[in-house]
Amino acid sequence: MCQLIVVFQGCDGSVLLDDTITLQGEKSATPNVDSLKGFEIIDSIKNKVESDCPGVVSCADILAIAARDSTVLVGGPDWEMYLGRKDSKTASYELANSNLPVPSEGILPIITKFLYQGLSVTDMVALSGSHTIGVARCQNYRARIYDQSTASESYLNDLRASCPAAGGDDDTVAPMDNVTPNLFDNSYYQILLRGEGLLNSDQEMYSSFLGVQTKQLVLQYAHDPLAFFHQFAQSMVAMGNITNAVDGGEVRRNCRFVNT
């Protein structure tokens, strides 16, 4: 989803850049490493587009369109979006580390990071609903299932069986939506009501005493899937419009490298 690739500069394709001698990319930043996947799919799309229409469609636009279309393909909402983004000619490993939310964070730091990007608390809760699709690594939920979980013992025991407290098996994965993991729906929010959010950062939206507004939104989306779909589409448009490439930007020929 595009929310995973918006960093300090906006939805500008900076996360697609590989490391070079002169540039450290964002793929190895802590929130991204072993988390972001599918770069080769973007490469394939870009190669096809460049062969038919060279130098016109940016990698940032391809990424935004792919986020929308993949959402639709798994049952989620559709939306119209602005096109014409430019690709950033730089990236920032440091700002990716500092500005992207991480699974262990509490509610207030996450809200702050969304507000910094010009997104609201409502945007944050709606965009987090993308976790109805996808998996998390044991390394990112181990502390929650052993130290601070509000989930049922049977659910916790299933997770603990493949994610030991002593360490190891860090790359074992579990679905963030354990009910309908391959369908884009509102069951993610219903899971939070039961205290079974896999990641601390997710469960905090409902369980934290500081999350007065976020709790109400979780309740609303858990009971009204149409409201969730409508807001998710609006929030994806808002996030996709964060396109302030500070270097003026370009249309890359290869999404992994700036033009030479």
Side-chain angles (χ1 to χ4, degrees), residues 129-151:
S130 66
H131 287 179
T132 188
I133 297 289
V135 297
R137 298 169 66 227
C138 166
Q139 175 178 302
N140 291 325
Y141 60 81
R142 177 181 285 118
R144 171 157 167 72
I145 65 174
Y146 285 100
D147 301 334
Q148 52 185 313
S149 184
T150 53

Side-chain angles (χ1 to χ4, degrees), residues 160-179:
R160 290 167 179 167
S162 59
C163 183
D169 294 318
D170 284 353
D171 292 329
T172 297
V173 297
M176 290 181 282
D177 176 350
N178 64 335
V179 178

Side-chain angles (χ1 to χ4, degrees), residues 66-191:
R68 180 195 62 190
D69 291 357
S70 62
T71 300
V72 173
L73 287 172
V74 290
D78 195 358
W79 59 89
E80 294 184 2
M81 67 173 67
Y82 155 84
L83 297 175
R85 298 168 184 81
K86 297 295 185 181
D87 296 320
S88 174
K89 292 185 281 188
T90 188
S92 176
Y93 172 88
E94 292 79 12
L95 288 175
N97 272 323
S98 62
N99 287 359
L100 287 174
V102 295
S104 60
E105 281 187 307
I107 189 69
L108 293 183
I110 297 174
I111 288 174
T112 299
K113 290 179 177 182
F114 273 80
L115 293 177
Y116 176 80
Q117 296 288 358
L119 299 171
S120 68
V121 173
T122 299
D123 291 324
M124 183 196 79
V125 178
L127 292 171
S128 296
S130 66
H131 287 179
T132 188
I133 297 289
V135 297
R137 298 169 66 227
C138 166
Q139 175 178 302
N140 291 325
Y141 60 81
R142 177 181 285 118
R144 171 157 167 72
I145 65 174
Y146 285 100
D147 301 334
Q148 52 185 313
S149 184
T150 53
S152 67
E153 278 301 312
S154 61
Y155 177 61
L156 291 175
N157 288 337
D158 286 343
L159 292 170
R160 290 167 179 167
S162 59
C163 183
D169 294 318
D170 284 353
D171 292 329
T172 297
V173 297
M176 290 181 282
D177 176 350
N178 64 335
V179 178
T180 54
N182 298 314
L183 179 67
F184 193 102
D185 58 14
N186 68 329
S187 66
Y188 161 82
Y189 298 103
Q190 296 165 5
I191 288 168

